[in-house]
Every structure is written in structure tokens, then in C-alpha cells.
Amino acid sequence: KAGVTQTPRYLIKTRGQQVTLSCSPISGHRSVSWYQQTPGQGLQFLFEYFSETQRNKGNFPGRFSGRQFSNSRSEMNVSTLELGDSALYLCASSLTGLSSGNTIYFGEGSWLTVV
Amino acid sequence: DQQVKQNSPSLSVQEGRISILNCDYTNSMFDYFLWYKKYPAEGPTFLISISSIKDKNEDGRFTVFLNKSAKHLSLHIVPSQPGDSAVYFCAAPLRDTDKLIFGTGTRLQVFP
């Protein structure tokens, strides 16, 4: 069974631009969450979606947004990119979410570099 | 406020010996804990979990111990293998949310 798939794997953007990252969860998984990993802050929760609704949100500015489609695929968007947004963005999926006691499984991530 | 802490940033162990990775937490609202292993430029891979009502869970070479009174858990890998060299994160979901709180990670190096 295919794992969590993220695209693109690597990308370079310029300050001020916007970026969209895509995530396809494991088949049958309906919860998708996003995390940011940076050397300084470690792994931090961005948001979580279930049945096309955002259920949980981390402490990130409004420039970070996401959505989930009816097939459970998800996208996250970062607008007005800043140098500090350079990070590994990880998508994770689970059957119905951590609050149901599920384990979440991560994709390989999308490396974003902002120059 | 770091609710999940891994105070050892790195650990070096000889192949065949036991690796012990430690994790402390401050929030009593965690109902279970997970350990993930991460290679550079890859996503974390789930290793093993433990419910807060248990004190031990074992899966092959991996055993996790939970000491609730001390708010401490540890991951034991025995015997350690060179392929175990990676960064290990402990994590816990915040109760009634889907937010996973990660520790800062411990880099394990297993040498021959």
C-alpha cells in the first residue's frame, strides 16, 4: 500500500512569492496534518484537516493556510514568503486522527528554500 | 514551553550494544507516546508507541518504557545496528487534539 506522497520534493522560491505544496495520504486515511521542521524550532505542528475541515491549528501566521479535498488529498499554501520559511514541510496522515488514538504516518517531505 | 524534552542531543553506541534514548515530559494530559526515527531529508518513520496505562511495550529490538511518576520514557534498542544511526524523536499527542508535540530529537550513531 502506497505511503504518504508529497510533491514537489524540492523547490526554491524568492522572497515575496507564494508556494503550494501537495500531499496524498495513505489510501483510506481521512486525517491529514502538516508539520514544519527547521534546525532552530524542530518539528512544529501547522494544522490538521479531516473531511475537508480544519480541526486543529498551530501557532503560525495567517500566511500559512491549507485545504483538504473530498478525496482526502491536501494542499498547503504559504504566501508572501520570508527567508525564515525555508524548511522541510512534512505531511502526515492517519485514519481519523490522533485524537482517536491513531498513529500518524509521515511523507518524505517537501524541502523549501526561500532566497 | 517545551512539553516534551530530549535532553541528550546525541548518543554514540557500539554495534551490538544497547542504545537507550531518553525523553521527559511535563504535561500530564498525554495519553500515549510515540517514537519516530528520522534520516536526513526524509520524513519521520513510526517505530513504536506506548499507552499511558502501560509501563512497557516491546516490538522486536525496540522496547519503550514509561515511568509516569517521573514523567519519563525511554527507548531501548538492542542489539544496536549501524542502520539504526538516525535522529530519534519522542512525541505525544495533545489530548483531544490532533496536534503531535515533538521532542527536539537525539542523534544516534552506531559504530562498528
Side-chain angles (χ1 to χ4, degrees):
Chain A
K1 166 161 137 171
V4 178
T5 306
Q6 292 187 245
T7 56
R9 287 293 320 276
Y10 305 93
L11 66 167
I12 301 174
K13 290 285 187 177
T14 305
R15 271 184 304 175
Q17 287 187 313
Q18 66 91 29
V19 66
T20 299
L21 308 176
S22 180
C23 173
S24 293
I26 292 171
S27 178
H29 284 194
R30 294 167 60 195
S31 168
V32 174
S33 50
W34 289 88
Y35 289 79
Q36 181 199 61
Q37 185 184 23
T38 59
Q41 299 297 320
L43 277 151
Q44 293 194 297
F45 173 80
L46 279 157
F47 28 63
E48 186 260 353
Y49 288 86
F50 180 80
S51 291
E52 302 177 66
T53 300
Q54 186 182 88
R55 285 196 303 193
N56 298 272
K57 190 175 188 305
N59 298 322
F60 279 81
R63 300 185 298 107
F64 292 80
S65 63
R67 59 178 176 168
Q68 186 181 34
F69 302 95
S70 58
N71 62 358
S72 294
R73 192 176 68 83
S74 177
E75 289 180 347
M76 70 161 282
N77 185 278
V78 187
S79 63
T80 320
L81 283 166
E82 301 177 359
L83 295 178
D85 296 333
S86 296
L88 176 65
Y89 289 89
L90 293 159
C91 172
S93 78
S94 69
L95 280 170
T96 55
L98 287 168
S99 52
S100 305
N102 301 151
T103 298
I104 65 172
Y105 298 90
F106 285 85
E108 294 199 326
S110 293
W111 275 104
L112 170 64
T113 301
V114 182
V115 297
Chain B
D1 175 32
Q2 192 69 25
Q3 299 182 62
V4 178
K5 304 177 188 179
Q6 292 175 259
N7 293 318
S8 299
S10 64
L11 175 68
S12 192
V13 171
Q14 188 172 32
E15 182 179 6
R17 307 290 276 253
I18 184 171
S19 295
I20 301 176
L21 298 111
N22 294 303
C23 180
D24 297 296
Y25 61 96
T26 58
N27 192 332
S28 300
M29 302 282 281
F30 293 138
D31 293 323
Y32 65 105
F33 302 87
L34 308 97
W35 283 92
Y36 285 86
K37 170 182 176 180
K38 188 178 183 301
Y39 295 115
E42 292 185 11
T45 302
F46 170 71
L47 279 175
I48 191 168
S49 63
I50 186 166
S51 165
S52 61
I53 63 171
K54 295 192 172 183
D55 53 22
K56 177 183 175 181
N57 188 25
E58 190 173 351
D59 184 1
R61 296 186 298 114
F62 302 92
T63 303
V64 57
F65 296 92
L66 175 62
N67 181 335
K68 283 186 70 176
S69 60
K71 293 185 181 168
H72 176 85
L73 61 155
S74 60
L75 174 69
H76 292 213
I77 306 173
V78 55
S80 301
Q81 300 172 354
D84 295 330
S85 298
V87 178
Y88 289 78
F89 292 92
C90 68
L94 211 53
R95 182 179 291 173
D96 296 330
T97 77
D98 289 90
K99 180 177 181 178
L100 196 58
I101 309 293
F102 280 90
T104 49
T106 297
R107 182 177 302 278
L108 172 66
Q109 183 179 8
V110 180
F111 58 93

